[in-house]
């Protein structure tokens, strides 16, 4: 009889545990954390622990193992054994970040989706603070935050040292919208997205914008009426990747340029040509176009143009360069010059007739052909 009672007690306890587990798994979490990983067995553990140690507990953690060939799968399975909030998804082969993130979006059950990369770490109160802000700011489609950026530099002895810098983010939403016409400026792994907005607008990451998928998504959000807010407080530790192949940065450049063209098409019939202009020139035209379009905040747009254009008392020369568009500001003594937007400096070797020869501080010598009447220059083509 005692044995029977013992068995019944054990069954009751086990049944209670199973029932509570089933109940929790059936209950929708507030947040779905989405992370894709590929061959990061040596780093991914830190990212996972930073999520599991959040002060905000009501979340699911969707991890997509994108066909890793190292020990990543074993590491992930060990973590899943320890925490039932982890939802582990295995791609049979490497499908790429965009495919994997979209798979995560499809699976997400939370009201909010929080992003993190496999080599970054959330600070303990990140989810708590972002959820509170999103709950209060009901028109926020996306909320990004500041972050701590880690990167390596060599000291005077040739030794690699790890440095940390604090980085903020643009605000308010009207300013974010303007900024996105020129650059991304938002940190993807700090973001929290409102799932209902993505679903209503049928938004996902776009496969055609490799290495710029987040920039494309942000542009889609604002162009569909969504607002992107920013918390300046650093809530993520972000590692600047140093092991990406050249193709990653090439794709980023191509994708980012296309995003800018997409956004400028809301104002111009020839955005492919307009995108080649210096930021100042684009802003001046946007100021005029927006008076009728009324897409952007006119006051902020005019303020941005004021900040981004050379003052009338500066000797400014508009430049068309194969890799950038800007104004060159010539010093009063005509001996030095700098890029107005980029701030790169150069020494003037000579400026005679229509030919300007510069020696840049950070790279070699360049020769420009200039129209002195229009105050415009372009790089001299080699014969």
């Amino acid at each position: 009889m005692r044995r029977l009672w013992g068995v019944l007690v054990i069954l009751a306890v086990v049944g209670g545990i199973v029932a509570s587990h089933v109940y929790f798994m059936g209950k929708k979490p507030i947040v779905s954390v989405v992370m894709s990983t590929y061959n990061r067995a040596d780093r991914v553990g830190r990212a996972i622990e930073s999520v599991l140690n959040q002060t905000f507990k009501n979340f699911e953690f969707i991890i997509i193992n994108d066909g890793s060939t190292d020990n990543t799968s074993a590491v992930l399975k060990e973590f899943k054994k320890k925490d039932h909030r982890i939802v582990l998804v295995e791609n049979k082969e490497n499908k790429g970040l965009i495919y994997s993130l979209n798979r995560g979006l499809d699976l997400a059950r939370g009201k909010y989706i929080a992003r993190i990369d496999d080599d970054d770490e959330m600070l303990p109160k990140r989810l708590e603070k972002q959820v509170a802000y999103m709950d209060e700011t009901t028109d926020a489609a996306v909320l990004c935050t500041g972050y701590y950026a880690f990167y390596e530099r060599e000291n005077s002895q040739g030794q690699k040292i790890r440095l940390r810098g604090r980085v903020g983010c643009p605000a308010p939403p009207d300013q974010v919208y303007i900024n996105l016409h020129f650059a991304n400026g938002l940190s993807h792994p700090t973001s929290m997205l409102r799932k209902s907005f993505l679903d209503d607008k049928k938004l996902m990451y776009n496969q055609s914008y490799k290495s710029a998928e987040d920039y494309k998504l942000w542009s889609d959000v604002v162009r569909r009426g969504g607002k992107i807010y920013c918390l300046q407080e650093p809530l993520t530790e972000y590692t600047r990747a140093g092991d990406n192949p050249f193709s990653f940065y090439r794709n980023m450049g191509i994708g980012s340029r296309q995003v800018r063209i997409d956004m400028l098409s809301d104002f111009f019939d020839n955005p492919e040509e307009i995108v080649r202009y210096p930021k100042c020139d684009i802003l001046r035209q946007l100021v005029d176009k927006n008076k009728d379009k009324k897409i952007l905040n006119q006051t902020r747009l005019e303020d941005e143009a004021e900040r981004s254009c050379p003052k009338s008392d500066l000797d400014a020369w508009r430049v068309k360069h194969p890799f950038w568009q800007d104004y060159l500001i010539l010093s009063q003594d005509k001996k030095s010059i700098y890029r107005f937007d980029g701030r790169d400096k150069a020494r003037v070797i000579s400026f005679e007739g229509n030919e300007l020869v510069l020696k840049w501080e950070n790279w070699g010598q360049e020769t420009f052909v200039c129209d002195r009447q229009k105050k415009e220059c372009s790089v001299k083509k080699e014969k």
Side-chain angles (χ1 to χ4, degrees):
M1 191 68 178
R2 288 182 179 178
R3 287 184 178 179
L4 179 60
W5 275 109
V7 171
L8 290 174
V9 169
I10 292 172
L11 289 175
V13 171
V14 171
I17 294 173
V18 172
S20 63
H21 182 70
V22 169
Y23 170 78
F24 184 86
M25 291 304 292
K27 187 179 179 182
K28 279 190 176 184
I30 299 297
V31 178
S32 296
V33 180
V34 175
M35 181 181 76
S36 174
T37 185
Y38 175 68
N39 286 352
R40 284 286 175 84
D42 59 331
R43 301 187 192 179
V44 72
R46 296 198 298 269
I48 294 174
E49 288 176 350
S50 76
V51 175
L52 300 181
N53 292 331
Q54 289 292 295
T55 56
F56 184 88
K57 303 298 183 183
N58 190 356
F59 64 84
E60 64 178 352
F61 189 6
I62 302 171
I63 305 176
I64 302 95
N65 181 20
D66 190 20
S68 296
T69 56
D70 64 354
N71 198 40
T72 297
S73 182
V75 173
L76 299 180
K77 287 175 181 177
E78 283 300 311
F79 274 103
K80 181 172 173 55
K81 289 179 184 178
K82 300 174 183 177
D83 200 308
H84 61 265
R85 293 174 297 181
I86 293 177
V87 179
L88 183 55
V89 181
E90 297 272 359
N91 291 344
K92 293 182 179 179
E93 59 183 8
N94 183 243
K95 303 287 287 186
L97 178 63
I98 297 175
Y99 174 92
S100 298
L101 291 183
N102 281 336
R103 197 171 181 190
L105 295 187
D106 280 336
L107 293 170
R109 299 181 300 133
K111 182 179 180 180
Y112 306 123
I113 297 171
R115 279 282 295 113
I116 188 69
D117 285 337
D118 58 2
D119 56 351
D120 300 326
E121 297 176 46
M122 290 185 179
L123 295 179
K125 291 189 176 183
R126 176 184 153 181
L127 293 184
E128 176 186 333
K129 292 187 176 185
Q130 285 189 295
V131 167
Y133 192 97
M134 292 289 277
D135 283 348
E136 183 178 343
T137 314
T138 55
D139 66 341
V142 178
L143 175 63
C144 293
T145 78
Y147 58 94
Y148 290 113
F150 289 89
Y151 52 96
E152 288 187 343
R153 288 286 187 273
E154 285 191 359
N155 60 20
S156 56
Q157 288 76 41
Q159 300 170 324
K160 284 188 176 181
I161 55 174
R162 196 165 186 248
L163 304 174
R164 185 176 86 161
R166 178 170 175 164
V167 183
C169 59
D174 286 345
Q175 187 65 48
V176 174
Y177 199 165
I178 293 171
N179 290 3
L180 287 173
H181 286 78
F182 303 97
N184 186 344
L186 300 167
S187 176
H188 192 195
T190 74
S191 61
M192 179 172 280
L193 304 89
R194 192 177 297 273
K195 182 72 158 55
S196 61
F197 182 88
L198 297 182
D199 291 343
D200 290 346
K201 305 299 181 181
K202 296 179 173 56
L203 294 180
M204 300 188 82
Y205 295 98
N206 193 313
Q207 286 279 6
S208 299
Y209 293 76
K210 292 182 178 179
S211 304
E213 70 284 339
D214 54 329
Y215 191 3
K216 172 59 176 171
L217 183 60
W218 309 149
S219 71
D220 287 341
V221 167
V222 296
R223 293 174 77 198
R224 300 288 183 86
K227 292 185 178 182
I228 300 178
Y229 285 81
C230 278
L231 281 173
Q232 297 302 324
E233 181 181 358
L235 295 174
T236 298
E237 294 189 338
Y238 169 76
T239 302
R240 294 190 183 277
D243 54 357
N244 287 323
F246 173 76
S247 60
F248 173 87
Y249 298 102
R250 181 188 63 208
N251 290 335
M252 180 184 288
I254 294 172
S256 297
R257 184 176 186 274
Q258 187 57 52
V259 171
R260 294 185 62 206
I261 290 173
D262 295 342
M263 297 196 72
L264 290 170
S265 68
D266 293 337
F267 296 90
F268 303 100
D269 295 329
N270 58 334
E272 294 87 355
E273 177 64 25
I274 298 296
V275 78
R276 299 174 184 171
Y277 294 177
K279 181 179 179 180
C280 168
D281 290 7
I282 297 174
L283 281 165
R284 283 171 172 166
Q285 294 192 52
L286 282 175
V287 166
D288 290 334
K289 293 282 185 179
N290 192 63
K291 289 177 182 177
D292 295 325
K293 299 277 186 178
K294 294 181 172 58
I295 296 173
L296 303 173
N297 182 301
Q298 187 69 16
T299 301
R300 285 193 173 275
L301 191 60
E302 292 172 358
D303 289 344
E304 186 67 24
E306 180 70 18
R307 287 192 297 268
S308 301
C309 291
K311 306 300 180 189
S312 58
D313 59 341
L314 294 176
D315 192 358
W317 294 71
R318 182 182 174 199
V319 175
K320 292 182 179 179
H321 192 279
F323 304 112
W324 47 266
Q325 298 80 39
D326 203 351
Y327 281 85
L328 290 179
I329 310 300
L330 190 62
S331 64
Q332 290 185 350
D333 61 8
K334 313 298 182 187
K335 293 182 179 180
S336 64
I337 207 165
Y338 67 89
R339 280 181 54 190
F340 179 75
D341 196 32
R343 300 298 181 183
D344 296 314
K345 296 179 181 179
R347 179 166 54 89
V348 178
I349 304 298
S350 63
F351 195 5
E352 298 176 357
N354 67 343
E355 192 168 277
L356 171 64
V357 183
L358 303 179
K359 174 63 173 66
W360 294 99
E361 283 186 351
N362 298 324
W363 62 91
Q365 186 169 299
E366 274 189 314
T367 302
F368 295 83
V369 177
C370 301
D371 184 324
R372 286 185 175 269
Q373 186 174 359
K374 294 182 178 180
K375 298 191 76 171
E376 294 181 349
C377 302
S378 59
V379 175
K380 184 177 182 180
K381 296 180 180 179
E382 298 293 335
K383 295 182 180 180

